[in-house]
């Protein structure tokens, strides 16, 4: 058994730099951030929201999923199966539907952007609710992180950032399939991935904020109760025109409808200033959710 | 103004949850290099105090300075210089033993090569080097606690906070943890720990405060506290069931500093336990069992609060 002493044991007082100096390595940190943190997070950090801690939380999630990458990849297939069965299969029977501004479009081209929006929503909601709830209440992940220099708002931002990275991967895969199948009809579609991320941001923010109010797994039924009808009725499979006006107004108020309008406009090349309202809607929803989630985590854990 | 060797200073520190007062205006100072303990039963306010020191619980009133900084304003800056071993394990069960140190070190913003070098040393130190690649879940309670200690040291903190470090461990695992903490103490690490085990406090602490119902009821070195509130020796007597009460009456005039009648035994505090036992026997009393031991912090607590520590 080696003798205890400053050299052998973790000598706390001598022979090492003060933590601030050790924590620096700014150049290296920056490189890592640029590698893994999307621009939105860097922008948020410049705005004083923090981001270093968020990047480290994202790094942790990436490490965990490296071992279970199958779980990650499986998320690619769900929207793809919908596209093949309903968009292509059912599309054979449907033919064309009235697209934006009433122009007829092929059914698959009509449904595909809506499925992209839905998968952005589902991915974000799944990550920011079930996974966050588990980490918050059971894994005590945030309790551990809050014993380090990490802050509650950095945790909220990190979780949302991770949901976006994951959603971004799915979005890219789905867009590649759309391109290959000839379902993209406009150069505006290059903006579809950022918009899919915006949809993810809106739902991740709202989902995470909602999760901080939940006390049991049963409460997730309510999340399903919100997302499932949105998926089915927010003009995913048919145009808004089939509804009476009263219902149209209700549908127009849902965030998924706003996302679908945006993506459909971009991939079908029907772009107008009206789309900016949808962008604003989703951006405000995400920012409000992020802000609330950070405050709620503080309130729950820093008592 | 500030003495650089005083790492934590609390004045009138108070924590209120809803209507109940968990910590009721306590004063203490932590000096560099010492092992400082909060001894008290469950619910005495020890963990609440530790959480305030750890900057994860804002004080309700009073002053608290940690490393010269304000925990409310400078929480992240202070936490960067603290190591925390919480009462409940918060290990990352989705990561391996080694990855737990890596990810935690990254939370502190440490570089990977620095973490790798420290991880090897720390896993060695807590005797988990052979489990480095294993998942956390199958580890025993004692191993998890040691891993938590290693994790708390990854940032080479200036103060290590340990909240009930051996609660829930079996005796053998406790001794291993004590041994590791003792080595840290020998290495000059400043430790703050809470415990409701008097033997833990006695073995590890240079100085301690005794807490009860949110207040500090005494403070000093274990030896001073025992000298002030106990006696050099304690005679413990157990009587057959139902006979203790009459026996206690007869013991009233046995010369002793103090007599405590507990539910299951009688304690006689004196300088010489054997001499006191002889006095007991001279009165025709035959206890079922007798034990002469030295005074402990348990006796100090009993004297100060009228209750036992581990009830």
């Amino acid at each position: 058994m080696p003798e205890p002493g400053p050299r052998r044991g973790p000598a706390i007082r001598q022979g090492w730099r003060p933590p601030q100096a050790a924590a620096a390595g700014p150049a290296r940190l920056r490189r890592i951030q640029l590698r893994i943190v999307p621009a939105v997070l860097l922008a948020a950090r410049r705005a004083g929201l923090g981001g270093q801690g968020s990047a480290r939380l994202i790094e942790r999630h990436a490490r965990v999923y490296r071992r279970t990458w199958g779980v990650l990849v499986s998320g690619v297939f769900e929207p793809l199966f919908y596209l093949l069965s309903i968009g292509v299969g059912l599309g054979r029977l449907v033919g064309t539907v009235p697209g934006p501004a009433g122009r007829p479009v092929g059914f698959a081209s009509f449904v595909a952007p809506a499925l992209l929006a839905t998968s952005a929503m589902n991915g974000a909601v799944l990550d920011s609710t079930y996974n966050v709830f588990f980490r918050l209440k059971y894994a005590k992940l945030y309790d551990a992180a809050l014993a380090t220099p990490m802050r509650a708002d950095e945790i909220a931002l990190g979780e949302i950032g991770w949901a976006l990275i994951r959603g971004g991967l799915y979005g890219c895969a789905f867009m590649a399939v759309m391109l290959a199948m000839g379902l993209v009809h406009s150069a505006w579609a290059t903006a579809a991935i950022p918009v899919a991320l915006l949809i993810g941001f809106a739902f991740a923010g709202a989902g995470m904020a909602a999760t901080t109010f939940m006390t049991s797994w049963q409460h997730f039924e309510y999340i399903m109760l919100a997302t499932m009808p949105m998926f089915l009725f927010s003009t995913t499979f048919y145009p808004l025109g089939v509804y009476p006006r009263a219902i149209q107004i209700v549908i127009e108020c849902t965030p998924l409808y706003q996302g679908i309008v945006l993506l459909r406009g971009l991939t079908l090349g029907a772009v107008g200033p009206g789309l900016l309202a949808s962008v604003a809607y989703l951006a405000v929803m995400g920012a409000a959710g992020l802000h609330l989630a950070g405050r709620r985590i503080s309130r729950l854990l820093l008592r | 103004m500030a003495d650089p060797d005083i790492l934590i200073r609390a004045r009138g520190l108070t924590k209120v949850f809803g209507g109940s007062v968990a910590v009721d205006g306590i004063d203490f100072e932590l000096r560099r290099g010492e092992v400082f303990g909060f001894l008290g039963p469950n619910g005495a306010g020890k963990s609440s105090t530790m959480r305030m020191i750890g900057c994860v619980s804002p004080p309700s009133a009073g002053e608290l300075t940690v490393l010269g900084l304000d925990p409310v304003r400078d929480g992240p800056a202070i936490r960067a210089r603290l190591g925390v071993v919480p009462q409940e394990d918060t290990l990352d069960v989705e990561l391996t033993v080694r990855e737990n140190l890596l990810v935690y070190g990254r939370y502190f913003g440490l570089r990977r090569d620095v973490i790798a070098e420290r991880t090897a040393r720390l896993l060695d130190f807590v005797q988990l080097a052979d489990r480095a690649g294993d998942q956390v879940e199958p580890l025993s309670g004692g191993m998890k606690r040691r891993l938590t200690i290693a994790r708390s040291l990854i940032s080479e903190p200036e103060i290590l906070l340990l909240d009930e470090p051996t609660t829930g461990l079996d005796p053998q695992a406790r001794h291993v943890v004590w041994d590791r903490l003792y080595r840290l103490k020998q290495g000059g690490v400043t430790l703050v720990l809470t415990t409701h085990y008097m033997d833990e406090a006695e073995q590890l602490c240079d100085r301690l405060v005794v807490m009860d119902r949110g207040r500090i009821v005494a403070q000093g070195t274990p030896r001073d506290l025992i000298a002030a509130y106990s006696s050099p020796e304690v005679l413990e007597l157990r009587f057959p069931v139902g006979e203790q009460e009459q026996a206690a009456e007869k013991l009233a005039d046995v010369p002793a500093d103090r007599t405590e009648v507990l539910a299951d035994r009688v304690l006689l505090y004196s300088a010489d336990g054997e001499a006191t036992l002889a006095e007991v026997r001279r009165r025709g009393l035959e206890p079922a069992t007798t034990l002469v031991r030295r005074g402990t912090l348990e006796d100090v607590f009993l004297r100060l609060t009228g209750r036992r520590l581990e009830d």
Side-chain angles (χ1 to χ4, degrees), chain B residues 27-53:
Chain B
D27 300 347
F28 63 89
E29 279 170 4
L30 171 75
R31 300 190 196 112
R32 192 182 295 280
E34 73 177 345
V35 178
F36 186 83
F38 291 91
L39 175 69
N42 291 326
K46 307 184 304 287
S47 291
S48 297
T49 304
M50 284 295 248
R51 284 177 54 81
M52 286 191 278
I53 296 171

Side-chain angles (χ1 to χ4, degrees), chain A residues 1-2 8 10 12-13 16 23 28 56 59-60 63-64 67 141 144 146 148-151 301-303, chain B residues 32 51 56-57 76 79 92 94 99 102-103 106-109 112 121-122 124 156-157 183 188-189:
Chain A
M1 188 62 64
R8 176 88 202 158
I12 295 305
R13 291 204 297 160
W16 51 281
R28 189 185 161 86
R56 291 166 197 151
E59 209 181 310
R60 180 257 169 209
R63 177 167 290 278
V64 168
R67 246 195 312 278
L141 184 69
L146 286 173
T148 76
M150 209 183 291
R151 301 194 312 260
L301 300 181
L302 302 178
R303 292 188 300 124
Chain B
R32 192 182 295 280
R51 284 177 54 81
V56 290
S57 175
R79 296 200 301 254
D92 197 326
E94 294 181 274
E99 284 175 332
L102 169 60
V103 165
R106 294 291 297 152
Y107 291 167
F108 278 90
R112 281 160 213 281
R121 196 156 40 88
L122 288 171
D124 224 25
E156 302 202 322
R183 280 165 192 250
V189 181

Side-chain angles (χ1 to χ4, degrees), chain A residues 149-165:
Chain A
M150 209 183 291
R151 301 194 312 260
D153 59 340
E154 290 179 315
I155 290 174
L157 191 64
E159 288 296 355
I160 287 168
W162 171 247
L164 291 192
I165 289 172

Side-chain angles (χ1 to χ4, degrees), chain B residues 38-208:
Chain B
F38 291 91
L39 175 69
N42 291 326
K46 307 184 304 287
S47 291
S48 297
T49 304
M50 284 295 248
R51 284 177 54 81
M52 286 191 278
I53 296 171
C55 311
V56 290
S57 175
S60 306
E63 287 169 41
L64 177 65
T65 314
V66 182
L67 297 163
L69 300 169
D70 171 2
V72 175
R73 201 189 53 219
D74 309 312
I78 296 171
R79 296 200 301 254
R81 297 161 66 186
L82 300 179
V84 178
V85 177
Q87 192 171 346
E88 258 183 86
D89 281 321
T90 60
L91 292 167
D92 197 326
V93 294
E94 294 181 274
L95 299 171
T96 64
V97 167
R98 183 190 289 113
E99 284 175 332
N100 259 277
L101 300 192
L102 169 60
V103 165
Y104 202 72
R106 294 291 297 152
Y107 291 167
F108 278 90
L110 301 174
R111 281 170 36 192
R112 281 160 213 281
D113 53 344
V114 171
I115 296 170
E117 181 270 320
R118 288 181 190 172
T119 297
R121 196 156 40 88
L122 288 171
L123 288 183
D124 224 25
F125 175 68
V126 296
Q127 297 160 311
L128 286 172
D130 55 331
R131 308 298 296 264
D134 291 5
Q135 291 292 311
V136 167
E137 207 40 69
L139 298 184
S140 70
M143 287 175 173
K144 283 182 183 163
R145 193 48 57 95
R146 269 145 52 202
L147 177 56
T148 303
I149 291 171
R151 189 183 70 169
S152 73
L153 292 169
I154 196 79
S155 58
E156 302 202 322
E158 288 169 65
I159 307 171
L160 185 59
L161 307 177
L162 302 125
D163 195 2
E164 305 262 351
T166 65
T167 297
L169 302 187
D170 61 54
Q172 199 188 346
R174 289 177 72 197
H175 280 284
V176 178
V177 169
W178 283 348
D179 173 58
R180 296 297 108 175
L181 295 180
Y182 192 74
R183 280 165 192 250
L184 288 176
K185 171 180 170 167
Q186 297 276 294
V189 181
T190 307
L191 301 177
V192 181
L193 64 93
T194 72
T195 184
H196 62 266
Y197 296 121
M198 57 93 183
D199 46 351
E200 188 162 286
E202 244 175 287
Q203 285 194 33
L204 291 171
C205 295
D206 299 316
R207 218 154 54 80
L208 57 91

Side-chain angles (χ1 to χ4, degrees), chain A:
Chain A
M1 188 62 64
E3 277 304 300
R7 185 181 54 79
R8 176 88 202 158
I12 295 305
R13 291 204 297 160
Q14 38 198 251
W16 51 281
R17 287 157 295 166
Q20 287 90 339
R28 189 185 161 86
L29 255 181
R30 180 130 313 214
R31 274 203 304 281
I32 291 165
Q33 279 173 5
L34 287 175
R35 204 161 64 220
I36 60 172
V37 184
V40 57
L41 290 189
L42 285 176
R45 185 181 158 207
R46 275 195 294 276
L49 272 169
Q52 290 201 7
S54 311
R56 291 166 197 151
L57 190 64
I58 289 171
E59 209 181 310
R60 180 257 169 209
H61 294 339
R63 177 167 290 278
V64 168
Y65 277 94
R66 213 158 64 179
R67 246 195 312 278
T68 52
W69 56 270
V71 176
L72 263 186
V73 171
S74 66
V76 171
F77 293 103
E78 192 186 306
L80 216 54
F81 292 154
Y82 271 110
L83 180 63
L84 293 175
S85 81
I86 293 176
V88 179
L90 198 61
R92 288 268 156 83
L93 302 175
V94 176
T96 63
V97 288
R103 264 188 304 125
V105 294
F107 188 66
S109 298
F110 180 85
V111 168
L115 291 174
L116 178 57
T118 305
S119 92
M121 171 184 81
N122 282 336
V125 166
L126 201 72
D127 252 320
S128 65
T129 58
Y130 287 90
N131 290 347
V132 165
F133 190 73
F134 176 74
R135 291 168 192 149
L136 181 68
K137 304 274 179 185
Y138 296 92
K140 306 276 174 201
L141 184 69
Y142 308 144
D143 291 274
L146 286 173
T148 76
M150 209 183 291
R151 301 194 312 260
D153 59 340
E154 290 179 315
I155 290 174
L157 191 64
E159 288 296 355
I160 287 168
W162 171 247
L164 291 192
I165 289 172
R166 199 170 159 177
L169 292 175
Y170 297 160
C172 289
F174 193 80
M175 272 300 283
V177 173
M178 280 176 71
L179 262 176
M181 289 172 63
L183 301 176
V184 175
H185 303 280
S186 163
W188 281 103
T190 45
I193 297 292
V195 167
L197 289 178
L198 178 65
I199 296 168
F201 174 63
F203 280 99
M208 188 166 178
T211 300
T212 61
F213 290 94
M214 294 184 182
T215 50
S216 86
W217 292 105
Q218 274 75 44
H219 290 156
F220 289 99
E221 301 292 330
Y222 297 120
I223 300 266
M224 282 295 288
L225 208 60
T227 57
M228 190 64 187
M230 262 199 280
F231 164 54
L232 290 173
F233 300 114
S234 297
T235 74
T236 318
F237 302 112
Y238 44 79
L240 192 64
V242 303
Y243 294 118
R245 185 61 199 145
I247 293 183
Q248 284 182 12
I249 292 170
V250 174
I251 299 292
E252 281 168 344
C253 290
T254 67
L256 184 60
Y257 173 81
Q258 299 293 332
I260 289 174
V261 163
L262 264 175
L263 285 177
R264 196 169 272 154
L266 291 171
T267 61
L268 296 177
V271 175
L275 293 187
L276 289 175
S278 302
V279 170
Y281 179 116
L282 295 170
V284 168
M285 176 174 161
L290 170 61
H291 179 69
L292 182 59
R295 286 187 35 170
R296 285 283 304 166
I297 289 178
S298 285
R299 189 120 168 233
L300 289 174
L301 300 181
L302 302 178
R303 292 188 300 124

